[in-house]
Amino acid sequence: KNPSRQEALVYYRRVAEHFHLNLRQYEMVESISGAEGSFVLKTRKMYGREKEYEATRVVVATGGFHAPNMLEVPGEELPKVLHYYREAHPFFDQEVLVVGGSNSAVEASLELFRGGARVTMVHFLDKLDKGVKPWVVPDITNRLEQGDIRVYWEHRVVEITPEAVTLRDEETGNLTELKNDWVMALTGWQPNPTLLRGMGVEIDQTTGIPSHDPDTMETNVPGVFIAGVLAAGNNANKIFIENGRAHGGQIVQAIIGRAAGHP
Ligand SMILES: Cc1cc2nc3c(=O)[nH]c(=O)nc-3n(C[C@H](O)[C@H](O)[C@H](O)COP(=O)(O)OP(=O)(O)OC[C@H]3O[C@@H](n4cnc5c(N)ncnc54)[C@H](O)[C@@H]3O)c2cc1C
């Protein structure tokens, strides 16, 4: 059985405690300068206090969920349009449109349905994305087939107003207006390239993948490594927990190997 989000988070907390990880929470790294052997990291804490750290090497693992892919339709700026899903309870007895067909959209739709929301999904393809977790597929398929969650395949959102949304059929161009309280636009996110670019790490214009050696995870800047979903660039579905966690071992091996005099 796969662990739930709750179980996974408890596990991570235990790992942090067990290994006495030196975590600096609620502290944003704003810049990294210098070179291998003498990097300087400037950070800012929640209420603005600045700090500075020195490091021989740096591993950047800032994730792939920095900025949402926008729908770019009129009304997207309304406060009822959300690009991050947290929990279902605020949406009890509400009309919620979930945009997207990947893991985020599927998991949010199921939770929202179970939290008492009236959920409609809209996806521009004619089926769910291939990357949807196999153990979630039967549940969402059943909910869609039984009409517990409504779905508009091959439709796109074209307009959002305070009380409605308008969808366009990709094939016919026909428009459908739905009564709506909330739009959960879960259409993917992009990593933040600022830190890496600031250090001189090259990032592929098309894929968003930072230049790196896949064996060592070291970037084109000596002493700067990347780990986790950040290494997948704009396609967050390529690296997930199961394969991203291998990066730690690869990086440690590369550093130990170098210390032992191997190239
Ligand atoms: C809905 C959903 C379900 C998923 N389910 C699964 C699953 O079942 N199994 C699976 O393997 N994967 C799953 N994934 C993917 C998984 O969440 C990611 O692969 C994983 O979180 C990536 O880990 P990461 O450490 O690379 O990045 P993240 O988890 O995004 O962590 C990056 C961290 O860096 C911090 N950060 C960013 N910038 C800075 C900065 N400048 N200074 C300081 N800190 C910073 C962020 O706040 C964040 O805490 C799922 C993803 C989604 C969206």
Side-chain angles (χ1 to χ4, degrees):
K1 178 181 169 285
N2 289 292
S4 66
R5 175 175 183 272
Q6 203 59 33
E7 288 164 340
L9 290 172
V10 170
Y11 169 77
Y12 293 140
R13 250 185 9 238
R14 294 223 173 107
V15 168
E17 282 167 358
H18 180 81
F19 291 103
H20 304 292
L21 296 186
N22 185 3
L23 298 175
R24 308 291 168 104
Q25 297 197 95
Y26 304 102
E27 187 168 343
M28 183 72 84
V29 179
E30 293 195 327
S31 72
I32 306 173
S33 55
E36 184 165 22
S38 58
F39 286 111
V40 176
L41 287 81
K42 291 196 172 157
T43 70
R44 189 179 297 274
K45 291 178 75 95
M46 236 171 125
Y47 294 104
R49 193 151 67 87
E50 293 176 18
K51 292 196 77 176
E52 219 175 88
Y53 301 89
E54 287 177 11
T56 309
R57 297 180 187 86
V58 181
V59 179
V60 183
T62 46
F65 308 106
H66 170 69
N69 294 326
M70 303 299 278
L71 300 174
E72 292 179 358
V73 298
E76 189 167 17
E77 70 289 351
L78 290 170
K80 71 176 207 172
V81 182
L82 307 172
H83 292 277
Y84 294 91
Y85 169 77
R86 299 208 191 286
E87 62 160 348
H89 302 297
F91 305 99
F92 166 70
D93 197 28
Q94 298 280 290
E95 297 285 347
V96 184
L97 181 77
V98 177
V99 189
S102 197
N103 277 306
S104 315
V106 167
E107 289 188 22
S109 297
L110 288 169
E111 272 194 36
L112 286 161
F113 160 67
R114 299 211 158 92
R118 290 182 292 282
V119 183
T120 304
M121 292 181 78
V122 57
H123 192 32
F124 68 91
L125 298 175
D126 63 355
K127 54 177 167 311
L128 295 173
D129 294 356
K130 274 190 268 171
V132 173
K133 292 181 264 186
W135 58 94
V136 182
V137 171
D139 191 8
I140 186 69
T141 307
N142 288 340
R143 299 289 72 73
L144 295 176
E145 280 177 7
Q146 289 172 17
D148 297 331
I149 296 174
R150 284 194 297 172
V151 62
Y152 286 83
W153 300 116
E154 295 184 274
H155 278 68
R156 278 183 197 270
V157 177
V158 289
E159 191 181 10
I160 304 166
T161 61
E163 286 168 1
V165 285
T166 306
L167 310 182
R168 187 187 60 223
D169 187 318
E170 287 286 86
E171 206 176 291
T172 63
N174 289 345
L175 299 178
T176 305
E177 190 179 284
L178 303 176
K179 192 168 163 279
N180 171 266
D181 298 311
W182 298 93
V183 175
M184 203 69 74
L186 304 176
T187 47
W189 296 268
Q190 289 175 16
N192 185 355
T194 323
L195 266 187
L196 290 175
R197 284 225 172 96
M199 282 181 281
V201 175
E202 289 155 14
I203 297 177
D204 187 279
Q205 292 273 350
T206 317
T207 63
I209 297 178
S211 166
H212 68 284
D213 176 341
D215 293 329
T216 62
M217 302 308 288
E218 189 167 20
T219 66
N220 60 293
V221 178
V224 177
F225 297 79
I226 52 171
V229 68
L230 177 66
N234 301 331
N235 188 355
N237 281 332
K238 278 206 169 148
I239 295 177
F240 28 94
I241 298 166
E242 283 97 326
N243 54 2
R245 68 182 179 174
H247 297 162
Q250 289 171 247
I251 294 167
V252 170
Q253 282 309 317
I255 293 172
I256 291 173
R258 199 170 303 165
H262 302 300

